Amino acid sequence: MEALLAWFLLKLSFFASGLGLLTIGAIAVSIILFWNWRQALASVLLVQIGVAVLIVYVHGVAQDWAAVQIAVMMLCLLILALSAQQVRPTLRMGWSGAWLLRSITVLLLLASWQVFHLKLTLPLISPQIVQLFLWLGLCTLVLLSLSDTPFFTGIALLLWCIPVQAVIQILLPSAMLFVLIDILQIVVALACSYLILTAYAPLLEAQPVVTDLTFPSGEVVIPTWVDNDVNGAPRPSSNGQTHRTLPPERTTEYPFAVGGPQ
């Protein structure tokens, strides 16, 4: 099993290069640009695999951590996918603006990155990896600001957990924190999955059944000629309408009971 895992990570060692860092950042931005639930699921999984491979090859984190983290992310995405599959006809209605609006948002994000020179330093972590984590955090904030649906909110929260889990594993390699964040990811996926089903579930309203016992009551407006003049010709009211109260319903009293004469 360890040999298979090592072979898998070796095949994906491309993510540990400079071009691999740009690829991970581009995959994260593609979630904002395309705003498709299937593409979002695949992109988050690719980002998780890329970050896991990057941390293993650059900072020498144990391969078991990478395998468990990828497995937990696959489980969380599977939970979201099952809920999204149930409401896929209505999930497309949750698009956040037009494609042009999201493109302008990404351009503003890139311009802000270049103008303000956003930098963050963390001990024991390579500056290039820190910049990648900062970029993933900004993409998460953009997703949270644009999304009004529980699905993309869950996608943003899972994307945010990826750099947090990696930073904690490098700085504080503790099994307790590792398990705690994994449990938090599963709880977030379950909560968002439940909200997806409840937000898009059809509302069934009971329609009243009209029977012989239900009649309109009160006054009704009858557009008609209401009375006659002295010559017998019909004469309308001032507005051509009159409010005429319906007479009470007549009831017939039978002298005999249902069983016959008494």
Side-chain angles (χ1 to χ4, degrees):
M1 187 66 181
E2 294 181 359
L4 180 62
L5 179 60
W7 174 83
F8 175 75
L9 295 178
L10 181 62
K11 291 297 183 180
L12 299 175
S13 59
F14 160 77
F15 289 108
S17 61
L19 186 58
L21 294 175
L22 296 177
T23 303
I24 295 174
I27 292 173
V29 173
S30 66
I31 303 175
I32 304 174
L33 290 177
F34 295 102
W35 208 266
N36 181 272
W37 66 275
R38 292 185 179 90
Q39 186 270 338
L41 294 172
S43 297
V44 173
L45 181 59
L46 289 177
V47 171
Q48 176 62 80
I49 294 174
V51 171
V53 173
L54 180 65
I55 297 304
V56 168
Y57 277 94
V58 175
H59 290 279
V61 177
Q63 296 180 358
D64 296 338
W65 171 85
V68 173
Q69 188 62 25
I70 293 173
V72 170
M73 183 59 69
M74 291 179 63
L75 176 61
C76 295
L77 296 177
L78 179 61
I79 294 173
L80 291 179
L82 291 176
S83 298
Q85 185 70 19
Q86 298 294 325
V87 296
R88 65 183 185 277
T90 55
L91 190 62
R92 298 177 181 177
M93 300 173 59
W95 290 60
S96 178
W99 185 85
L100 179 61
L101 175 62
R102 297 193 301 275
S103 300
I104 293 175
T105 304
V106 172
L107 290 177
L108 290 176
L109 181 61
L110 292 173
S112 301
W113 181 272
Q114 294 295 328
V115 171
F116 295 103
H117 299 286
L118 300 177
K119 291 184 179 180
L120 180 65
T121 58
L122 291 175
L124 304 178
I125 302 180
S126 174
Q128 292 80 9
I129 297 179
V130 173
Q131 295 301 310
L132 173 63
F133 290 167
L134 181 59
W135 177 258
L136 294 179
L138 292 177
C139 292
T140 300
L141 292 178
V142 173
L143 282 172
L144 290 175
S145 62
L146 292 178
S147 64
D148 56 351
T149 60
F151 176 82
F152 284 100
T153 301
I155 289 294
L157 293 177
L158 291 178
L159 184 64
W160 176 77
C161 290
I162 295 175
V164 172
Q165 181 71 283
V167 170
I168 291 178
Q169 187 63 25
I170 296 173
L171 300 180
L172 300 172
S174 174
M176 293 294 295
L177 292 177
F178 173 71
V179 174
L180 182 62
I181 297 179
D182 286 341
I183 293 175
L184 179 62
Q185 287 181 249
I186 296 175
V187 170
V188 167
L190 290 174
C192 293
S193 176
Y194 172 77
L195 292 177
I196 290 171
L197 295 177
T198 56
Y200 294 101
L203 298 177
L204 301 179
E205 297 181 356
Q207 298 293 333
V209 179
V210 179
T211 62
D212 294 339
L213 298 179
T214 58
F215 295 99
S217 60
E219 295 182 349
V220 296
V221 178
I222 304 176
T224 183
W225 299 85
V226 297
D227 56 1
N228 298 331
D229 56 12
V230 294
N231 298 324
R235 181 175 57 191
S237 60
S238 58
N239 57 357
Q241 297 179 349
T242 181
H243 293 276
R244 183 176 300 174
T245 304
L246 293 178
E249 182 183 0
R250 296 183 179 180
T251 58
T252 303
E253 297 181 359
Y254 294 93
F256 305 105
V258 177
Q262 297 180 354

